Amino acid sequence: MRIGIAGAGIAGLTLAWLLDGVHESVVLEARADLGGNLRSQRFIDTHGTPRMVDLGVHSVSLEAFPLFSRLTNALGLGADDWVSAPASHTIEVAEQEAPFFQGPLTASAGDEEAEGDGLPPRDAGQAVTTLVRESAKWAARGLDWQVPLRDMVEPWPWPTALKENVVYALAASLWGCDLARASTLSARAVAALFADEAPAGSTPLTQTLRHGMQDVAWRLAAQLNSADLRPGTALRGIRRAGDRLAMVDATGVPHEVDAVVLAVPADAAARALQDLPDAETARRALASYRYADINQGLHLDPCYVARAPRHRSTTNITVEGSWALGCIRRRFEDSAEVYVSQLDHRANLPRRLLARTTFRTLLPTPAMFAAQRRLGPLQGRGGLHFAGHVVARGATQEAAVATAVDTARRLGCDSARLKTLAPS
């Protein structure tokens, strides 16, 4: 078969890689670059040393992401390619001198007092412990993905400041929305990022790639033999061509295929389906998805972190009014530092701004998860499939790769590469 894939993010590229040698594929990508939210930037640090740093997805947990870990192993990435670092957070509130919270997002050993429906936390640290433990409970009892975060948090006997500056601020900084919107996101989606499985009292570790996370995308592309990869070529629409489908690119050229996989944002997918009368149900579902735009900047000056170096963490969040703005601090082996920050809603931009880019982040709203349920039965109908974040359960590389694996199986792929991703 010949498979058409729209989108060369991690899901689309992984799917093409899995199908390679079994089915032919043509991959259309609107951006000139590959990888979607995997965006690595080369720069020269203050020591004059060339570095790679990520403006998009900057770290993963290989322990928590077994499928993604097996994929990177299959691509030839070994232990020496990864750098492990403690995952710590600092939350500052504008016009307060001391950090509101500093530490790992994990449960504290021996601290059992504060529960969501029990006593109010004594401080922000105990609030984080409660959030982590409650998040694990939501997942364990199968809380519906359509339950808003505020429905779970507002009944807690917490001061408003703890709810806003801890729970809602953490979510808002990740998805680029304000605190009010963060409270409306899916509680399960937020919990998926904070339900920590590390032992109580320990600090979780995350991993970054020495040559940038986009190296995963480049390696996937380099190992494609039977795929026609076309970066800088957007999908304009899809139409029926007898018993087949035709993907029409932005230049008007049709690419006839036996099946189409849409691994693009929901609005782009809906536009591509406009000329297919039998895709009305899918278009209505896709209309329920909402995005936020985040402008990210790479800079050398520590303008968005705590003044005292001892108060700086891997992830630094500043709560200013209705916004919680994130800044990632990357520290290299020789103590050189660089920062990747959200630039929106800042009073001043960094003086030493090296690069900037814009992302669209999908907001995991209850309406989105309701739409996912409607898309599920449509998978494969009329040769149309969906992959990537529009059908993924979480905003992680693990979830995106899982959608590629599921789609490959629906397309009848039984490749050796697919077998390498199966649990041993």
Side-chain angles (χ1 to χ4, degrees):
M1 289 197 301
R2 189 166 192 249
I3 309 300
I5 301 172
I10 186 67
L13 287 174
T14 299
L15 176 60
W17 181 81
L18 292 170
L19 298 178
D20 203 56
V22 177
H23 299 311
E24 292 183 4
S25 63
V26 54
V27 184
L28 304 184
E29 167 56 47
R31 297 179 66 241
D33 209 351
L34 304 175
N37 284 349
L38 300 178
R39 301 186 196 177
S40 303
Q41 177 72 39
R42 185 179 184 274
F43 73 102
I44 306 298
D45 70 13
T46 53
H47 297 237
T49 304
R51 307 281 193 187
M52 288 291 283
V53 73
D54 291 294
L55 276 73
V57 177
H58 58 86
S59 64
V60 295
S61 170
L62 294 177
E63 183 178 3
F65 295 172
L67 184 59
F68 182 74
S69 181
R70 288 192 290 271
L71 173 64
T72 58
N73 288 340
L75 294 174
L77 291 166
D80 291 342
D81 295 301
W82 296 96
V83 179
S84 293
S88 57
H89 284 67
T90 293
I91 301 175
E92 292 190 290
V93 177
E95 301 180 358
Q96 291 186 12
E97 290 189 10
F100 191 80
F101 168 78
Q102 183 177 14
L105 299 184
T106 186
S108 300
D111 188 355
E112 300 289 345
E113 287 186 32
E115 295 293 338
D117 54 358
L119 298 173
R122 294 186 301 269
D123 52 33
Q126 198 180 62
V128 167
T129 289
T130 302
L131 173 62
V132 170
R133 288 182 172 149
E134 291 298 304
S135 295
K137 291 177 182 177
W138 299 342
R141 71 171 186 253
L143 179 69
D144 194 289
W145 290 82
Q146 295 183 52
V147 176
L149 182 60
R150 65 188 177 198
D151 284 10
M152 303 304 295
V153 172
E154 288 306 315
W156 293 353
W158 291 23
T160 299
L162 286 180
K163 293 176 183 177
E164 291 187 347
N165 297 334
V166 174
V167 183
Y168 300 149
L170 287 167
S173 68
L174 280 171
W175 281 285
C177 59
D178 62 20
L179 300 179
R181 189 63 183 270
S183 74
T184 69
L185 301 180
S186 159
R188 277 292 301 276
V190 175
L193 297 175
F194 301 128
D196 177 34
E197 297 181 358
S202 65
T203 301
L205 294 177
T206 60
Q207 289 75 40
T208 57
L209 273 174
R210 293 184 187 278
H211 302 295
M213 291 293 295
Q214 200 172 358
D215 191 26
V216 176
W218 294 327
R219 286 172 181 257
L220 285 166
Q223 294 185 21
L224 296 178
N225 299 306
S226 59
D228 181 6
L229 185 57
R230 300 192 175 211
T233 307
L235 173 66
R236 176 189 294 176
I238 303 169
R239 65 174 186 239
R240 296 286 174 194
D243 294 333
R244 307 183 82 198
L245 293 167
M247 299 174 66
V248 182
D249 67 30
T251 66
V253 175
H255 305 267
E256 287 199 10
V257 293
D258 297 291
V260 170
V261 181
L262 294 169
V264 292
D267 50 357
R271 286 194 299 271
L273 297 175
Q274 284 181 349
D275 294 331
L276 287 178
D278 54 345
E280 177 61 27
T281 302
R283 289 199 301 272
R284 287 200 302 269
L286 293 166
S288 300
Y289 289 67
R290 295 292 180 268
Y291 292 82
D293 292 328
I294 299 182
N295 291 301
Q296 292 277 87
L298 168 66
H299 55 101
L300 295 176
D301 43 326
C303 52
Y304 304 140
V305 293
R307 291 183 181 179
R310 70 181 185 278
H311 290 157
R312 299 173 187 174
S313 296
T314 306
T315 300
N316 303 271
I317 299 169
T318 302
V319 181
E320 297 185 4
S322 60
W323 297 94
L325 309 174
C327 170
I328 303 300
R329 172 191 180 222
R330 176 74 186 276
R331 187 176 176 88
F332 297 96
E333 293 90 334
D334 58 1
S335 298
E337 291 187 0
V338 68
Y339 306 89
V340 178
S341 303
Q342 182 180 348
L343 301 180
D344 308 277
H345 314 292
R346 302 278 193 183
N348 299 293
L349 292 180
R351 295 188 305 276
R352 291 182 287 176
L353 184 61
L354 305 180
R356 62 191 300 172
T357 189
T358 300
F359 294 93
R360 296 181 70 212
T361 62
L362 175 62
L363 298 176
T365 63
M368 186 209 79
F369 287 106
Q372 282 190 349
R373 289 181 178 176
R374 297 198 298 274
L375 284 177
L378 303 179
Q379 289 280 31
R381 185 179 298 178
L384 286 174
H385 302 258
F386 300 90
H389 68 247
V390 296
V391 290
R393 274 301 192 190
T396 65
Q397 300 304 292
E398 180 81 355
V401 172
T403 69
V405 169
D406 290 343
T407 306
R409 288 172 176 157
R410 283 198 308 274
L411 292 169
C413 176
D414 191 29
S415 68
R417 288 176 174 176
L418 186 59
K419 290 182 174 66
T420 65
L421 299 191
S424 57

